[in-house]
Amino acid sequence: MTGARDGDAPADLRLTSAEWSMWQAFRNGSTCDLHTGEASRDDPNGQHLWGPERRVRARILALLLLDGPPAQPGRVSALKLTGAYITDTLDLAGGTIKPFVELRDCRFETEVVLPESRFTTLRMVNCAIPRLEAARLHTEGDLHLPRCVVHSGVRLTDAHIGTDLMLNQVVVHKDRQGRSIVADGLTVGQDLQAEMLESYGELSLRGATIGVSLSLRGSHLSNPFGRRALNAPQLTVGRTLYLTAAGLANSPFSSGATPPYGITHTPARGTRMQRFECEGGVRLDDGRFGDAVDLEHARFIMESDQELSLRRIHTPELRFLGERPQRGRVILSGARVVNLVDKSASWPGLGGLMMAGFSYETLIPRGHFPLALRLQWVAAATPEYAPEPYEMLAASLRAMGEDADAREVQLAKQRRRRETLPLAAKAWGFLQDWTVAYGYRPGRAALWMAVLWAIGTAYFSTYPPPLLKHDEMPHWNPYLYSLDLLLPLVDLHQGEVWAPAGISQWVAAVMILAGWVLATTMATGASRLLQRQ
């Protein structure tokens, strides 16, 4: 740059006073503050016009960043600019920017263009930006955009952020395609903090990779222009995805500070909370989450054709603890979870839940969640009978040592299955249920055996069968005779002596058949007890 190697700005640049101040501050690594000191006039999103005393041409700013003057001896050059109105388009596409950059409370006249540029650290705090175009941006350190207002979308497609990406309290409106933030293929080395974000359009994170945690605590996502407010299939998060509430009292932001890692404390009791709220569908299909997916206190406002889709996600823990969706569907088909932490008031009703192929190992209910409500939960997921949810619930209960509850689930499965059977099979099912509860209550079979034994004893005491061999005179015992008819595979030798005839023959046949059915049921129930099924 002609005339700048000694640090002086070339005369042909004709720097304004604001630009000259910025130039000198850049060489010193100090802050160039163009604030007026009046809060309403210093608000970059306010209605007041900013005069020439605060205007900085974008090409002068780009000149400093791409080919700036040397630092003052003993100082490190850095661009720290506050309260400036940056005119024209700031275009750093493809450039390598070595100095530290922090733009605070600035107003941009037109879009900021950063595709394929490289920064060490870039911070734009509380700025008004018409649009941020930063596809394939690369930073060695952080990218911070807290409290910025972006009027026509942010594009971070395939960007690579070395450490943290901060979008806390950002307000971003849709672009021409109806998308607020497009960050498909984004890679973040550590945390993506987007707490109390306001997004008006589709927030797209398809195929993004977050090294540690992704936090959308207290954010409001709204997309009345399309089907989804959050579209993040194949998202990979090293630890936890937080779609939870944020505490407002004693927040690090309450003093205007911007902590490097956002809001990380647990709100104290009595703290006013701002819940995560999403107006529109959510797609997290095929996501991988190293620790958990946390939906505590989340609110999902959907239309009937929209979904909270968690198809085929893998995570050690799913915390489904939000507010019950009034419309739309929750899809868990094919998801694999180790711990399912939930509460009964969070799940949608009949037809609002799909979980075919959903697998989990341990149920951890939060609050009162009895088996009857858990069975309603399964029924809500199976408006048409499907055995998998019942089998998964029974397996989980058995693993927890709740064998009796597991058998109740299996019984409920048989009753749901009966509804799909033809009339004859349905009638047989009712008989099995009424008599022996499909074998899941073997004690009932023993009771029926005792009742039939008493009935048979009473009948044959009144109508004893004739002798089979008239030359023998054995002692007649109606108790042993009835028991011999009822017990299969056990021969008490009563049939070798007595020969029923007429109606007694039919009574004996019924008792033999009933004995086989009841004994088989008791044996099946006993085997289930031994196998904990």
Side-chain angles (χ1 to χ4, degrees), residues 30-155:
S30 59
T31 300
C32 175
D33 190 350
L34 302 178
H35 277 147
T36 66
E38 187 177 342
S40 62
R41 291 185 176 275
D42 290 334
D43 182 3
N45 296 293
Q47 299 301 316
H48 291 281
L49 296 177
W50 288 8
E53 73 281 359
R54 304 179 70 167
R55 296 192 177 189
V56 173
R57 288 171 288 173
R59 73 182 187 93
I60 303 300
L61 197 151
L63 186 62
L64 284 175
L65 294 177
L66 295 172
D67 193 19
Q72 293 281 5
R75 307 302 295 267
V76 177
S77 59
L79 181 65
K80 300 177 182 178
L81 182 61
T82 301
Y85 181 34
I86 300 170
T87 61
D88 303 319
T89 301
L90 178 59
D91 189 345
L92 301 173
T96 299
I97 296 89
K98 295 182 179 179
F100 174 87
V101 181
E102 181 173 284
L103 304 174
R104 185 181 291 270
D105 301 338
C106 291
R107 180 184 291 180
F108 290 83
E109 183 180 33
T110 62
E111 67 179 344
V112 178
V113 181
L114 305 176
E116 301 190 34
S117 57
R118 302 179 70 89
F119 288 81
T120 51
T121 291
L122 172 60
R123 293 181 179 174
M124 292 192 286
V125 181
N126 194 36
C127 295
I129 308 171
R131 175 171 172 79
L132 177 59
E133 180 66 50
R136 297 174 297 283
L137 169 74
H138 188 285
T139 69
E140 295 179 14
D142 300 339
L143 172 60
H144 286 190
L145 301 170
R147 303 196 300 279
C148 287
V149 176
V150 186
H151 297 282
S152 188
V154 174
R155 187 180 181 202

Side-chain angles (χ1 to χ4, degrees), residues 418-474:
R418 184 177 67 210
E419 298 172 4
T420 67
L421 298 176
L423 184 60
K426 188 178 295 186
W428 173 242
F430 272 114
L431 180 61
Q432 284 185 293
D433 192 1
W434 183 62
T435 55
V436 295
Y438 287 97
Y440 289 101
R441 294 175 184 167
R444 188 182 293 184
L447 178 61
W448 278 109
M449 184 79 79
V451 169
L452 288 175
W453 186 21
I455 292 173
T457 300
Y459 178 83
F460 287 112
S461 295
T462 306
Y463 305 102
L467 281 170
L468 183 63
K469 300 177 180 179
H470 295 281
D471 56 340
E472 298 180 4
M473 294 296 296

Side-chain angles (χ1 to χ4, degrees), residues 69-388:
Q72 293 281 5
R75 307 302 295 267
V76 177
S77 59
L79 181 65
K80 300 177 182 178
L81 182 61
T82 301
Y85 181 34
I86 300 170
T87 61
D88 303 319
T89 301
L90 178 59
D91 189 345
L92 301 173
T96 299
I97 296 89
K98 295 182 179 179
F100 174 87
V101 181
E102 181 173 284
L103 304 174
R104 185 181 291 270
D105 301 338
C106 291
R107 180 184 291 180
F108 290 83
E109 183 180 33
T110 62
E111 67 179 344
V112 178
V113 181
L114 305 176
E116 301 190 34
S117 57
R118 302 179 70 89
F119 288 81
T120 51
T121 291
L122 172 60
R123 293 181 179 174
M124 292 192 286
V125 181
N126 194 36
C127 295
I129 308 171
R131 175 171 172 79
L132 177 59
E133 180 66 50
R136 297 174 297 283
L137 169 74
H138 188 285
T139 69
E140 295 179 14
D142 300 339
L143 172 60
H144 286 190
L145 301 170
R147 303 196 300 279
C148 287
V149 176
V150 186
H151 297 282
S152 188
V154 174
R155 187 180 181 202
L156 288 168
T157 305
D158 297 319
H160 179 90
I161 310 302
T163 51
D164 296 326
L165 172 58
M166 181 180 288
L167 302 173
N168 290 332
Q169 294 181 301
V170 167
V171 179
V172 56
H173 298 271
K174 68 181 180 68
D175 60 14
R176 294 177 180 177
Q177 285 74 42
R179 296 176 295 183
S180 59
I181 299 176
V182 183
D184 302 337
L186 170 72
T187 300
V188 179
Q190 295 185 19
D191 293 318
L192 196 169
Q193 296 278 338
E195 301 183 356
M196 292 187 282
L197 168 79
E198 294 182 34
S199 167
Y200 300 97
E202 181 183 287
L203 170 54
S204 182
L205 289 166
R206 294 184 299 174
T209 301
I210 312 301
V212 184
S213 294
L214 169 55
S215 176
L216 284 160
R217 292 184 178 99
S219 293
H220 178 82
L221 311 183
S222 175
N223 184 18
F225 319 102
R227 187 175 180 184
R228 298 184 182 95
L230 175 59
N231 187 21
Q234 298 180 326
L235 174 65
T236 300
V237 178
R239 296 190 65 181
T240 301
L241 169 62
Y242 294 100
L243 303 182
T244 62
L248 299 181
N250 302 317
S251 165
F253 294 115
S254 60
S255 63
T258 305
Y261 301 105
I263 306 170
T264 59
H265 69 288
T266 300
R269 183 181 297 274
T271 299
R272 189 164 62 94
M273 304 293 291
Q274 177 172 306
R275 68 171 69 234
F276 171 83
E277 185 172 272
C278 182
E279 297 182 52
V282 175
R283 185 185 180 201
L284 295 171
D285 299 349
D286 302 296
R288 299 294 183 268
F289 307 93
D291 281 355
V293 175
D294 194 345
L295 307 179
E296 188 164 6
H297 300 300
R299 175 185 291 156
F300 298 95
I301 303 171
M302 298 180 285
E303 298 300 326
S304 298
D305 61 341
Q306 294 175 332
E307 299 175 346
L308 168 55
S309 180
L310 302 170
R311 291 178 174 90
R312 299 177 298 280
I313 69 165
H314 286 202
T315 181
E317 187 163 287
L318 173 61
R319 302 168 192 157
F320 202 89
L321 300 166
E323 186 177 292
R324 172 180 287 129
Q326 300 303 311
R327 291 188 299 275
R329 298 191 303 169
V330 176
I331 311 295
L332 284 165
S333 302
R336 294 184 177 274
V337 172
V338 178
N339 298 327
L340 176 58
V341 184
D342 65 348
K343 57 183 181 181
S344 60
S346 295
W347 295 106
L350 183 64
L353 176 62
M354 303 294 292
M355 54 183 189
F358 174 43
S359 66
Y360 50 90
E361 295 180 14
T362 305
L363 289 170
I364 307 175
R366 185 80 62 84
H368 186 60
F369 207 150
L371 183 61
L373 291 179
R374 186 65 75 180
L375 289 173
Q376 291 179 16
W377 170 67
V378 175
T382 54
E384 295 184 0
Y385 168 72
E388 294 90 351

